[in-house]
Amino acid sequence: MTRNIWAGLIALILVITCGVLEVVLLSRSYNKMRDYCRDVMDSCEAETLTTEQYNEFRGSWIKLRETSELLLPHLDVYEINLRFAEGQAYIEQGDYDNLMAQLAVIDELLEYVPHLMKPSFRHIV
């Protein structure tokens, strides 16, 4: 009986530890991506952003997306994908105004998604 209790406690500790690490590591990655997004937004506002720079930014998102899809709700990650795809069309057309709108949404979502990962009483209720 005591052995089963210890095994259960160890399993619980492992699950909680993995959950905390997931939240911390993904939150950091999303914060870095958000900082990158703000740099891209500055370049877009100055109309100096090139297609290559946007493609590098999008490539960084794809790397983060691969990890995110394993651990987060797909709808939130999918929405960011859609915004990147629309932004691709705008950068290729040189439409900086519409691209800026898409980047603003991406920026907001990059802030919002990590908030969803953090357990709180409001999320449970």
Side-chain angles (χ1 to χ4, degrees):
M1 180 73 171
T2 306
R3 213 166 137 177
N4 290 336
I5 292 172
W6 280 110
L9 285 174
I10 290 171
L12 179 64
I13 290 169
L14 284 173
V15 167
I16 291 172
T17 301
C18 288
V20 169
L21 285 174
E22 169 192 341
V23 168
V24 169
L25 294 176
L26 272 178
S27 291
R28 284 183 186 166
S29 296
Y30 270 85
N31 286 337
K32 286 179 188 175
M33 190 68 186
R34 189 162 185 235
D35 291 341
Y36 193 0
C37 183
R38 292 203 170 153
D39 292 340
V40 170
M41 289 173 78
D42 290 340
S43 295
C44 182
E45 193 170 34
E47 297 188 3
T48 58
L49 184 66
T50 65
T51 303
E52 292 78 21
Q53 290 170 322
Y54 185 82
N55 288 338
E56 287 177 24
F57 175 52
R58 192 172 181 189
S60 295
W61 162 247
I62 290 170
K63 289 178 187 174
L64 178 56
R65 181 191 74 193
E66 295 299 322
T67 305
S68 298
E69 287 178 334
L70 291 172
L71 305 169
L72 298 176
H74 291 298
L75 289 177
D76 301 316
V77 176
Y78 182 68
E79 181 65 27
I80 298 173
N81 281 335
L82 292 178
R83 299 302 176 153
F84 269 101
E86 287 183 53
Q88 187 72 44
Y90 293 133
I91 190 67
E92 289 173 3
Q93 295 169 2
D95 188 348
Y96 289 103
D97 291 335
N98 281 320
L99 176 57
M100 189 65 178
Q102 294 303 318
L103 290 172
V105 174
I106 290 170
D107 181 59
E108 184 67 29
L109 288 169
L110 289 172
E111 179 183 11
Y112 177 70
V113 170
H115 166 74
L116 291 175
M117 288 186 286
K118 296 174 184 160
S120 70
F121 184 71
R122 290 179 132 177
H123 291 156
I124 295 170
V125 175

